Amino acid sequence: MARFIFITGGVVSSLGKGLASAALGALLQARGYSVRLRKLDPYLNVDPGTMSPFEHGEVFVTDDGAETDLDLGHYERFTGVPARKTDSISSGRIYTNVLEKERRGDYLGKTIQVIPHVTDEIKDFIRIGEDEVDFMLCEIGGTVGDIEGLPFFEAIRQFAQDKPRGQCLFMHLTLLPFIAASGELKTKPTQHSVKELRSIGLAPDILVCRSEGPIPAKEREKLALFCNVRPDAVIAAQDLKSIYAAPLAYHREGLDQAVLDAFQINPAPKPQLARWEDVADRVTGTEGEVKIAIVGKYTQLEDAYKSIAEALTHGGMAHRVKVRIEWVDAELFDREDAAPHLEGFHAILVPGGFGERGTEGKIRAAQFARERKVPYLGICLGMQMAVIEAARNVAGVSAAGSEEFDHEAGKKRFEPVVYHLKEWVQGNAKVERKVSDDKGGTMRLGAYDAVLEPGSKVAEVYGTTQIDERHRHRYEVDIAYRAQLEEAGLKFTGMSPDGRLPEIVEWDDHPWFIGVQFHPELKSKPFAPHPLFADFVRAAKDVSRLV
């Protein structure tokens, strides 16, 4: 049976609960234990799939097609354990399940209440797969005191009571603000946060305190005394230059040892930290720098492209170069020439997105990369924009565009070289969709196989002709234009196994120009960089040496 660690947050949001959870998972793995990480989000959306990136950051997609919180990306990047649908839940999903059961009559006419029906549903979710791993880490989204989080806090309180004593542990992440005027590190917000937590029946075993610097012994003793934890269970989480320094930093602070002590695991296995020492060395021991432009529409919020930024960092680590990312608003090129803004970059990446806003700018970015022979990686919409650019400017389809933009505008303006995907094969079944379907969960989601053209650039990069990658899209490049585009020089070098859906395109007369319909960034890890990102950064490094 798994031991359970529940991670909660207090004082303010965005302190890094997801990162702390992921780093702890990596440290437990380093000691030889198996782990799984879960996220319980109190918001009422069923999942983040329909939420704006400005609201929620990126949507992380699992192999089995779940649209989840970006923290699951941290979990995968740090532990290498592929996340599943059962690793992400929201209040919206919980209430949907409860109401569906009520409509079916599963509750036998009882009055449906938050306690016990909603809390029981949450506990059932937490139990899934508990016999598969040594440790189950469950992060509760939001901050203690949020009204929408109360059912989750009550559920984990009950869950710990249901389990044998010593099988559950509570870790609370808070902020220790430094008041510069008085030169003091303040513990009072953490004391109040723990008091709030205790008022709903939860007592933290471990305190993880975010601070700008180390916690002096006096403040550490004060926190231990007033928050009723052991002094060695007060863990400092100082600001770091790289998130990949977190596992080693938390180990030095004794987080993994504090967890094992709380579970009375003694003697504990010695940690094997060579993987993270190598990662830390590659982050700090860089030789040179490459500048990469990300031309997107959500550039004001970097979390919208979190996995892409991390995958580029991993690519840099593979070649021991620092990747300097600059965010370029695609809408800028709707009004201005792209060249002055893109000159000086060693590579250009155009990420995914939805809607027409900024797409003409992305098309101009693809044109600049093609004409100037700058390495280009187009992901999802970024591939579609590269295809539209090729159709308009090389293949003679002057009115080329996407059906998505016509649907949004409510009138036909383009010749759709990109169309709404109405059916595809998933496993042994055919999936059908209509434009009028609900937005949530109706895309081509999750891992699908692709077959690569032998001798192509992508086959060389991957080192194989059989791959599987994660998808999240409704619109697809129309294969009816394949012959015309290939004659112009844009080769379709990756296809779905049935040969109907284009997965990868590349220019055969370009040093490095690849567009992919899937999201390779979702599978990249610091200790296993994705081959596409590693080779993309290599191409940028080659350009940097020529400049």
Side-chain angles (χ1 to χ4, degrees):
M1 283 295 219
R3 293 178 171 92
F4 289 85
I5 302 171
F6 295 103
I7 300 100
T8 57
V11 184
V12 294
S13 60
S14 302
L15 285 179
K17 289 198 306 296
L19 183 58
S21 305
L24 176 57
L27 289 174
L28 292 171
Q29 279 184 325
R31 290 182 180 264
Y33 296 108
S34 58
V35 300
R36 180 160 287 283
L37 289 97
R38 259 183 197 148
K39 181 72 183 287
L40 290 75
D41 273 309
Y43 53 69
L44 281 171
N45 302 68
V46 172
D47 61 41
T50 57
M51 295 166 74
S52 163
F54 293 122
E55 288 277 320
H56 194 262
E58 79 166 2
V59 174
F60 189 82
V61 179
T62 60
D63 280 334
D64 56 3
E67 295 177 285
T68 72
D69 185 85
L70 61 80
D71 277 331
L72 270 74
H74 286 314
Y75 302 163
E76 278 204 24
R77 283 188 282 273
F78 277 73
T79 66
V81 178
R84 303 190 295 224
K85 283 183 179 180
T86 51
D87 293 331
S88 178
I89 200 75
S90 68
S91 289
R93 173 58 66 193
I94 293 292
Y95 281 107
T96 297
N97 291 351
V98 169
L99 293 173
E100 285 174 352
K101 289 181 179 180
E102 186 270 333
R103 292 288 88 184
R104 287 197 305 266
D106 292 3
Y107 296 119
L108 304 176
K110 290 182 179 176
T111 301
I112 312 306
Q113 296 177 289
V114 172
I115 303 171
H117 301 101
V118 171
T119 51
D120 281 352
E121 192 71 26
I122 296 170
K123 290 191 290 182
D124 287 345
F125 165 76
I126 295 170
R127 287 190 193 96
I128 296 170
E130 65 178 341
D131 56 347
E132 298 175 6
V133 293
D134 299 317
F135 286 95
M136 190 79 79
L137 286 73
C138 299
E139 177 192 347
I140 315 299
T143 309
V144 63
D146 296 344
I147 192 167
E148 62 264 32
L150 288 173
F152 289 94
F153 290 119
E154 173 60 19
I156 62 175
R157 184 197 69 77
Q158 292 178 19
F159 189 90
Q161 289 292 101
D162 295 342
K163 290 290 180 184
R165 186 176 295 277
Q167 203 173 337
C168 295
L169 177 152
F170 296 97
M171 183 171 113
H172 192 53
L173 190 75
T174 71
L175 176 68
L176 293 185
F178 179 74
I179 308 300
S182 61
E184 292 179 307
L185 198 66
K186 290 298 183 181
T187 65
K188 190 62 72 176
T190 295
Q191 293 178 46
H192 280 300
S193 183
V194 171
K195 181 181 178 183
E196 180 81 28
L197 201 61
R198 292 172 70 86
S199 73
I200 53 179
L202 298 174
D205 301 285
I206 295 173
L207 277 182
V208 178
C209 302
R210 277 297 303 271
S211 63
E212 293 179 18
I215 304 175
K218 179 184 172 186
E219 277 72 17
R220 196 180 290 262
E221 289 165 7
K222 190 175 181 181
L223 285 165
L225 178 65
F226 285 102
C227 297
N228 201 34
V229 298
R230 294 162 57 97
D232 56 5
V234 178
I235 307 297
Q238 298 179 49
D239 295 346
L240 302 169
K241 290 183 179 178
S242 167
I243 62 171
Y244 300 114
L248 293 178
Y250 276 123
H251 175 68
R252 287 193 296 271
E253 275 292 317
L255 175 60
D256 48 329
Q257 189 61 55
V259 167
L260 297 172
D261 288 346
F263 281 120
Q264 298 185 335
I265 298 174
N266 191 15
K270 291 274 190 289
Q272 304 298 318
L273 296 169
R275 167 188 276 183
W276 290 104
E277 287 165 353
D278 179 60
V279 166
D281 178 59
R282 287 178 178 275
V283 169
T284 55
T286 55
E287 302 158 3
E289 178 181 274
V290 296
K291 285 175 60 182
I292 296 179
I294 297 182
V295 182
K297 63 190 287 187
Y298 311 116
T299 51
Q300 301 95 318
L301 182 70
E302 294 178 17
D303 272 358
Y305 303 117
K306 188 66 177 174
S307 289
I308 287 176
E310 296 308 323
L312 286 171
T313 299
H314 306 160
M317 290 160 64
H319 300 284
R320 289 189 175 273
V321 296
K322 177 179 174 58
V323 177
R324 183 147 66 89
I325 296 169
E326 292 196 20
W327 307 90
V328 181
D329 187 349
E331 286 187 272
L332 190 65
F333 307 153
D334 291 348
R335 306 180 297 272
E336 300 177 28
D337 180 23
H341 299 279
L342 294 178
E343 283 169 352
F345 287 105
H346 304 131
I348 296 167
L349 188 151
V350 175
F354 296 90
E356 188 174 3
R357 183 173 64 83
T359 53
E360 290 298 324
K362 292 182 178 185
I363 289 168
R364 290 192 175 93
Q367 181 179 4
F368 177 90
R370 175 179 61 80
E371 294 176 346
R372 301 290 188 94
K373 305 297 185 186
V374 177
Y376 176 91
L377 176 57
I379 295 174
C380 198
L381 186 68
M383 166 183 159
Q384 294 173 6
M385 296 304 97
V387 170
I388 290 172
E389 190 278 322
R392 286 182 185 177
N393 299 325
V394 186
V397 188
S398 59
S402 172
E403 209 173 31
E404 178 179 8
F405 311 150
D406 282 347
H407 288 157
E408 187 179 353
K411 58 184 177 181
K412 182 167 172 52
R413 298 166 296 158
F414 297 112
E415 184 172 341
V417 298
V418 177
Y419 70 101
H420 184 266
L421 185 59
K422 296 173 180 64
E423 63 178 53
W424 65 90
V425 175
Q426 184 172 18
N428 296 319
K430 186 169 79 170
V431 182
E432 295 184 349
R433 290 284 182 263
K434 300 189 296 292
V435 176
S436 58
D437 285 346
D438 289 345
K439 297 296 182 194
T442 58
M443 288 181 272
R444 187 174 179 229
L445 289 166
Y448 288 86
D449 294 335
V451 180
L452 310 186
E453 187 73 32
S456 63
K457 168 68 78 175
V458 287
E460 178 190 327
V461 168
Y462 275 99
T464 181
T465 56
Q466 303 285 331
I467 63 169
D468 72 276
E469 294 280 5
R470 297 177 188 175
H471 293 66
R472 183 176 183 251
H473 62 102
R474 285 191 186 87
Y475 292 83
E476 190 84 43
V477 172
D478 193 340
I479 198 171
Y481 292 88
R482 178 176 182 173
Q484 196 171 348
L485 286 163
E486 290 203 321
E487 191 177 331
L490 185 67
K491 303 301 184 186
F492 286 54
T493 53
M495 299 293 294
S496 60
D498 62 5
R500 297 174 62 189
L501 303 179
E503 293 279 11
I504 305 173
V505 297
E506 59 184 71
W507 282 103
D508 60 356
D509 62 347
H510 193 287
W512 211 103
F513 190 112
I514 294 173
V516 297
Q517 184 57 69
F518 45 82
H519 289 269
E521 71 274 16
L522 300 179
K523 286 194 169 186
S524 188
K525 300 167 186 66
F527 42 82
H530 191 285
L532 270 176
F533 280 89
D535 205 60
F536 180 56
V537 172
R538 178 204 56 76
K541 183 180 176 183
D542 290 348
V543 170
S544 73
R545 289 174 169 174
L546 296 172
V547 174

